[in-house]
Amino acid sequence: MTSKGQQVIRQWYRQKNWQQFPFQQEMETTYLSGYSGLLNAPTGSGKTFALFLPFLADFINKHPDTYTTQKNNGLLMLWITPLRALTNDIRKAMQEACDEIGLPWNIATRTGDTPAAEKAALKRKLPEVLLTTPESLHLMLAQKEYPKLFNQLQVVVIDEWHELLGTKRGVQVELGLSKLKNLTPALSFGEGVEKQEEKIPLPFGKGWGGVRIWGISATIGNLEQAAEVLLGNDFPPERIKMVRANLDKKLDIRSIIPDNVENYSWAGHIGLKLLPEVMEIVARSKTTLIFTNTRSQSEIWYHAILDNYPEYAGIMAMHHGSLDNELRNWVEQALHAEALKLVVCTSSLDLGVDFRPVDTVVQVGSPKGVARFMQRAGRSGHHPGAVSRAYFVPTHSLELLEGAALKAAIKRGIFESRDPMLLTMDVLIQYMVTLAVSDGFRADELFKEVKSTYAFADITRNEFGQLLDFITSGGKTLAQYDEFLKVEVENGLYKVNSRRVAMRHRLSIGTITSELSIRVKWLSGGSLGTIEESFVSKLKPGNTFWFAGRSLEFIRVKEMTAYVKKSNSTKGIIPSWNGGRMPLSSQLAAVFRDKLDEVAHGIEKDEEVIALKPLFDLQQQLSHLPQSHEFLIESFKSREGHHLLFYPFEGRLVHEGMASLLAYRISKIKPASFSIAMNDYGFELLTDEDIPIEQALEDASFFSIDNLLDDIQHSLNANEMARRRFRDIAHIGGLVFTGYPGQQVKNKHLQASTSLLFEVFSEYEPDNLLVRQAYNEALAFQLEEFRLRAALQRIATQNIILKVIERPTPFAFPIMVDSLGRERLTTETLEERIAKMARSYGAEGVAADDKRRNRKPGIVRKKGF
DNA sequence: GACCTGCTGCGGTTTG
């Protein structure tokens, strides 16, 4: 028998003439039976309604006759998304559904144009459904009497959970949920459910009740774990269900293969040489997104298209994280309205509003991971039944093999995992103060709640005690500074009494820290976006630079704003920004090695491999093509010195660590100083003396993981890495105040104060939890210690093939070009040297990509003037 | 403070 609620929503669904997917029914049954869990569904599959409609049905079931007049006197559903921009669209869709079904409900977003107005509105009257972000949830927990807000709560939905999992924002969500679970009293529900026997008591509250928690996630490698993390350690596994939308999304992936791979760039990362081929695809398509890996690459591509295809002026736009929000919103709306044929962007368009008109996606350069590529491909053909069409554009020859690897990985269903963060004490400190700011907390109760989260399952009472000390007395070290005495204890209740401390804390809730940036504004007013201080410092008044796709003349800097006016010059430098340096994911790297093994075995079924044959033949002829049981090292002498090249194909971060490690181990045999270069495929050690590599290889400990941590400590400046990590940790943990909005504390001061804190802690309190965390984070994220270990263990089982080579091989070339740049030569010399290297080699076109981008007016990439 | 190629994401305006 179908319940009243189900009847109502199904009828509504039919009216809309929407197609109903099988998983939506499964979701409905599961939800109405009272389970919590994870919904695994791709974007554009109607996943929002798959959860929202059963929730409505549940409510209607409770008020079958009066639901059309039934308002509720409190918050029933909390919907959390990582992207503020998503809340408005979802709100609209939900409101429309409620209106049409006849529920007199109010669907609201917490974040919006006027936070103050919204906050006031929330206080007056709670909406039935609230859409918000993890940060806003914590802001709510920082309000007096916050439990009142949640005492009617029935379900919390965490949308795009895969985006949050693996980040400190994810830990924030875990902590927030641990609180909500314990706030919501028993509820009765489930009247008229189809299968009564499936009704199960919920773990929180008494009897048939408690809050349900549902995550929505795209496909990742560790979905089961994602559900565990979301629900916490105290959630009985039998009450968790996974609902999978087995939708076969049609994907059409193609690599763009250069006409002559031998003459294609062997090195480089811009990929402009394939611009004509890309533009042919753009011309054939209705709307195309071109994804680039960096913001400056977006600017370069945009500029190059404007230069070479002026007819695109007006129907092309750019989108990346340093552009002004207004501009970005405009681009998104224009995409929606089918007013644009082409948008050049970075991952700022990975998520977001649905762009139906987009039918083609182009990825320039390595997407670095299978899941990211899938996500981007999915931006095209974004409606049920449509085909997602994506092209991969290699920026240098060898990268083309990644195209084959991507296709293979997708076919085999290999996706990256998102590893949840553990024991992030900075986030916990912030959360403790958050609770102290509102109603206060009791240590034992909070400890129990916190320990129920996945992130803090292993926290000890002693560690928790240290954190309590820290927020009340500044811990061992900072006790004499009033500034760190935030929380007071009254009869066992930890509470913030100072209004000033409370306000400052509310201002700094969140786990995202960012570089201080300089706003770019027209002299006439109007903002374009932001660039970094270091870039501005290179500019002199009158200089031209390209930003937001325009030629700008720099006038002056005043109060963190760079004023510009329009320039007619077609030449100008393009800013670069400091950002993350993502390595190739271990999954994609593994499939890449598989492909290489196929190549070494002469298997030529992929078009990419066939195209690359001349390159691989040359590699074989000059050196060797390693099979999966072999590890290739190339040794070679030049004027610069003695080069050693290693090819673990394990991503650049691992290579960086391994290079330092091996350099250190070699230097124990013979003291030498090395210079290091690396890319995602391998690394180079360069020294001006002979390297006793044979001797090093004879020793079984060369690639060993014994003494790994010790050797890493000796070979890398671990202190420096941890110090840099500590900067963010200190921000999140509230050790430094970044200033009131609009009047940020100067970066230099912050730098100095976090650095000082790090030193003080290291000296006087070596067991400090935040310092320990800084080292752990450096090890896990900067060095990818886990992967490094695995790579060393793999190499230890492989046959080492040491080849003495005459000239750089196709494998070596891109790494060595990287090292040329690193030596801070002028671009001209770099270009000459690349050309020389290429000539000495008989490969004419080798450096063409770099040449082109240096010669083209307007895409000059000289450093300085 | 270091990177030189290097992503994304959220908050919040008043007190000492």
Side-chain angles (χ1 to χ4, degrees):
Chain A
M1 204 198 96
T2 320
S3 73
K4 170 84 179 182
Q6 284 167 303
Q7 284 170 25
V8 172
I9 61 164
R10 284 192 190 156
Q11 194 194 340
W12 177 77
Y13 221 79
R14 270 197 299 275
Q15 274 172 14
K16 302 292 282 186
N17 211 7
W18 283 354
Q19 198 185 340
Q20 202 170 36
F21 292 112
F23 78 91
Q24 285 170 322
Q25 270 186 34
E26 188 190 339
M27 188 62 239
E28 192 179 283
T29 317
T30 312
Y31 184 92
L32 291 177
S33 303
Y35 287 96
S36 290
L38 196 65
L39 168 62
N40 167 219
T43 47
S45 61
K47 61 190 165 82
T48 307
F49 280 116
L51 258 163
F52 187 61
L53 296 182
F55 161 70
L56 292 185
D58 189 36
F59 184 83
I60 294 168
N61 285 344
K62 282 176 204 146
H63 312 277
D65 302 317
T66 55
Y67 73 90
T68 49
T69 55
Q70 197 79 34
K71 283 199 76 95
N72 199 64
N73 54 3
L75 189 59
L76 293 172
M77 177 187 240
L78 188 61
W79 188 284
I80 299 195
T81 84
L83 223 64
R84 189 174 55 179
L86 289 176
T87 55
N88 278 325
D89 277 44
I90 302 178
R91 190 200 67 81
K92 252 186 250 159
M94 287 180 175
Q95 187 70 68
E96 194 186 294
C98 289
D99 292 349
E100 286 171 12
I101 288 168
L103 274 172
W105 275 9
N106 179 16
I107 319 287
T109 58
R110 168 70 199 275
T111 46
D113 296 334
T114 55
E118 274 180 13
K119 215 187 288 176
L122 272 188
K123 273 196 176 152
R124 275 199 311 277
K125 172 85 185 85
L126 279 171
E128 276 79 9
V129 177
L130 182 63
L131 299 112
T132 186
T133 58
E135 287 79 7
S136 290
L137 169 60
H138 278 247
L139 279 167
M140 290 167 86
L141 296 177
Q143 311 256 325
K144 299 259 181 265
E145 302 187 347
Y146 66 88
K148 274 192 191 165
L149 298 176
F150 303 108
N151 63 13
Q152 305 278 318
L153 193 64
Q154 301 204 1
V155 58
V156 191
V157 176
I158 314 291
D159 204 355
E160 313 277 7
W161 174 230
H162 62 283
E163 282 292 322
L164 296 165
L165 184 70
T167 70
K168 289 186 181 178
R169 297 182 83 196
V171 176
Q172 225 177 354
V173 170
E174 288 180 56
L175 288 169
L177 288 176
S178 76
K179 180 49 79 186
L180 294 184
K181 280 194 259 183
N182 288 292
L183 285 178
T184 47
L187 296 165
S188 68
F189 76 98
E191 262 39 82
V193 172
E194 239 172 296
K195 291 184 189 163
Q196 292 292 334
E197 68 274 16
E198 273 200 32
K199 272 205 300 189
I200 47 158
L202 287 172
F204 309 102
K206 291 174 207 120
W208 308 93
V211 68
R212 269 167 282 189
I213 297 169
W214 274 95
I216 304 177
S217 171
T219 303
I220 51 173
N222 55 336
L223 273 177
E224 305 290 334
Q225 191 187 27
E228 277 175 48
V229 177
L230 185 73
L231 293 159
N233 313 318
D234 54 350
F235 213 103
E238 68 273 16
R239 296 190 173 99
I240 303 176
K241 282 229 171 153
M242 178 90 64
V243 175
R244 286 173 199 265
N246 285 322
L247 293 175
D248 223 1
K249 186 74 190 164
K250 291 246 182 323
L251 262 178
D252 179 8
I253 294 167
R254 289 176 213 182
S255 299
I256 299 189
I257 297 175
D259 282 345
N260 187 340
V261 169
E262 266 178 298
N263 285 342
Y264 191 57
S265 311
W266 280 20
H269 60 272
I270 301 294
L272 272 183
K273 215 185 166 193
L274 286 174
L275 182 61
E277 284 82 352
V278 170
M279 292 311 286
E280 256 173 53
I281 292 166
V282 172
R284 284 204 301 272
S285 309
K286 206 168 116 204
T287 305
T288 306
L289 297 182
I290 298 183
F291 280 100
T292 64
N293 282 338
T294 71
R295 286 164 276 185
S296 74
Q297 197 179 5
S298 277
E299 298 268 354
I300 292 166
W301 267 75
Y302 182 88
H303 194 178
I305 294 168
L306 217 51
D307 261 10
N308 296 293
Y309 302 84
E311 65 274 21
Y312 278 84
I315 50 170
M316 166 173 72
M318 185 171 21
H319 197 282
H320 63 67
S322 288
L323 296 176
D324 209 64
N325 253 336
E326 220 170 288
L327 191 67
R328 290 164 60 176
N329 291 340
W330 177 85
V331 173
E332 287 165 28
Q333 310 229 309
L335 257 180
H336 220 53
E338 307 192 20
L340 292 171
K341 191 161 173 64
L342 174 61
V343 176
V344 186
C345 60
T346 63
S347 32
S348 55
L349 281 188
D350 267 0
L351 285 179
V353 241
D354 296 350
F355 303 119
R356 303 223 157 200
V358 175
D359 60 344
T360 305
V361 160
V362 175
Q363 165 70 37
V364 180
S366 167
K368 309 275 182 185
V370 188
R372 181 176 295 105
F373 187 65
M374 287 286 283
Q375 176 77 40
R376 292 184 175 176
R379 304 314 296 175
S380 70
H382 202 287
H383 32 113
V387 178
S388 290
R389 191 163 284 116
Y391 294 86
F392 169 63
V393 180
T395 57
H396 63 262
S397 301
L398 195 51
E399 202 171 53
L400 185 53
L401 193 61
E402 275 190 45
L406 279 169
K407 284 189 221 168
I410 289 168
K411 201 168 163 193
R412 281 152 57 181
I414 295 174
F415 292 97
E416 284 81 14
S417 301
R418 302 275 177 131
D419 301 326
M421 292 189 89
L422 300 177
L423 297 173
T424 47
M425 301 299 180
D426 50 347
V427 184
L428 181 51
I429 288 178
Q430 188 187 91
Y431 173 63
M432 289 162 100
V433 178
T434 295
L435 295 180
V437 157
S438 51
D439 289 358
F441 65 87
R442 292 184 187 279
D444 289 330
E445 279 169 27
L446 184 63
F447 179 64
K448 204 171 145 242
E449 271 176 29
V450 164
K451 212 162 155 60
S452 78
T453 63
Y454 193 95
F456 296 101
D458 291 331
I459 192 173
T460 64
R461 190 60 174 80
N462 181 23
E463 287 166 334
F464 190 74
Q466 284 185 49
L467 299 182
L468 287 174
D469 280 353
F470 191 79
I471 58 171
T472 49
S473 71
K476 282 185 215 162
T477 317
L478 303 174
Q480 60 266 51
Y481 301 100
D482 293 353
E483 201 168 344
F484 298 101
L485 318 181
K486 294 182 174 168
V487 180
E488 294 162 51
V489 197
E490 291 163 6
N491 302 325
L493 189 71
Y494 287 74
K495 214 165 170 333
V496 166
N497 288 320
S498 154
R499 281 191 62 196
R500 179 164 176 265
V501 169
M503 189 200 64
R504 280 184 165 215
H505 181 75
R506 284 199 200 96
L507 279 173
S508 50
I509 282 180
T511 61
I512 299 171
T513 55
S514 46
E515 297 285 329
L516 198 58
S517 51
I518 298 214
R519 189 151 290 284
V520 181
K521 268 190 181 169
W522 295 115
L523 260 187
S524 52
S527 165
L528 284 161
T530 58
I531 51 182
E532 285 182 6
E533 222 173 354
S534 56
F535 178 76
V536 180
S537 65
K538 287 184 212 155
L539 295 173
K540 294 191 205 91
N543 285 162
T544 306
F545 68 102
W546 279 80
F547 175 61
R550 299 158 190 268
S551 177
L552 305 171
E553 185 184 327
F554 173 63
I555 311 290
R556 63 169 172 269
V557 178
K558 204 181 147 197
E559 285 164 0
M560 301 309 285
T561 305
Y563 289 93
V564 297
K565 66 180 188 192
K566 194 169 174 290
S567 162
N568 291 322
S569 166
T570 50
K571 288 186 186 171
I573 56 169
I574 289 179
S576 71
W577 290 263
N578 279 329
R581 288 190 289 166
M582 274 173 313
L584 204 61
S585 77
S586 44
Q587 284 77 2
L588 185 52
V591 183
F592 188 91
R593 290 193 300 269
D594 288 352
K595 281 289 153 196
L596 213 54
D597 184 58
E598 286 183 19
V599 169
H601 281 92
I603 300 171
E604 290 170 6
K605 54 182 201 283
D606 302 306
E607 47 174 356
E608 291 88 352
V609 173
I610 294 166
L612 281 167
K613 189 166 190 324
L615 198 79
F616 288 132
D617 285 349
L618 195 58
Q619 174 70 28
Q620 177 70 39
Q621 182 198 323
L622 294 173
S623 168
H624 182 69
L625 271 174
Q627 300 181 4
S628 58
H629 65 282
E630 294 171 329
F631 185 75
L632 175 66
I633 303 173
E634 292 174 344
S635 158
F636 137 83
K637 275 181 199 151
S638 75
R639 269 208 319 252
E640 284 100 353
H642 196 142
H643 308 251
L644 274 181
L645 292 128
F646 300 76
Y647 304 102
F649 299 99
E650 197 53 81
R652 59 175 303 130
L653 294 181
V654 168
H655 294 161
E656 193 173 357
M658 199 185 287
S660 309
L661 179 76
L662 297 188
Y664 170 72
R665 288 179 175 175
I666 291 172
S667 70
K668 282 205 288 194
I669 302 173
K670 179 182 174 188
S673 66
F674 293 89
S675 114
I676 291 168
M678 80 295 278
N679 66 10
D680 274 323
Y681 304 151
F683 60 89
E684 177 198 27
L685 298 180
L686 170 65
T687 177
D688 41 14
E689 294 176 60
D690 260 359
I691 306 177
I693 180 67
E694 287 90 349
Q695 200 188 331
L697 288 172
E698 270 166 32
D699 187 348
S701 68
F702 189 53
F703 286 113
S704 156
I705 54 168
D706 299 340
N707 299 323
L708 182 61
L709 286 185
D710 250 15
D711 286 357
I712 283 175
Q713 286 281 354
H714 282 105
S715 58
L716 285 158
N717 196 345
N719 288 336
E720 197 45 51
M721 287 165 75
R723 181 196 304 272
R724 242 171 284 154
R725 281 274 158 188
F726 187 77
R727 183 175 157 263
D728 286 0
I729 291 173
H731 281 194
I732 297 168
L735 271 71
V736 288
F737 182 59
T738 47
Y740 291 102
Q743 35 178 308
Q744 270 114 358
V745 177
K746 272 264 167 39
N747 226 21
K748 270 183 199 148
H749 300 174
L750 285 180
Q751 192 85 30
S753 56
T754 57
S755 206
L756 189 67
L757 283 169
F758 183 76
E759 238 130 70
V760 171
F761 283 138
S762 302
E763 188 165 343
Y764 298 104
E765 204 186 330
D767 55 342
N768 179 281
L769 291 173
L770 295 180
V771 170
R772 194 176 80 189
Q773 189 189 335
Y775 279 94
N776 287 343
E777 282 187 18
L779 219 52
F781 303 111
Q782 222 110 327
L783 265 174
E784 295 196 292
E785 187 215 347
F786 187 77
R787 263 178 95 176
L788 176 61
R789 251 170 220 279
L792 287 169
Q793 281 171 319
R794 190 183 71 239
I795 294 167
T797 67
Q798 290 173 316
N799 298 339
I800 309 284
I801 310 274
L802 178 63
K803 283 279 175 186
V804 178
I805 54 174
E806 302 279 307
R807 300 179 302 214
T809 61
F811 284 7
F813 198 85
I815 303 174
M816 295 181 63
V817 168
D818 192 57
S819 86
L820 291 180
R822 183 200 46 192
E823 284 167 26
R824 291 160 196 258
L825 301 163
T826 66
T827 21
E828 282 79 11
T829 322
L830 173 61
E831 197 183 315
E832 269 166 32
R833 289 177 80 175
I834 294 175
K836 210 183 291 165
M837 250 165 100
R839 273 198 304 277
S840 77
Y841 206 28
E844 278 299 313
V846 163
D849 185 26
D850 293 79
K851 267 190 208 158
R852 176 179 179 139
R853 76 173 209 259
N854 280 311
R855 210 180 35 207
K856 266 259 163 240
I859 35 180
V860 178
R861 302 257 311 143
K862 263 194 300 191
K863 314 249 175 202
F865 295 88

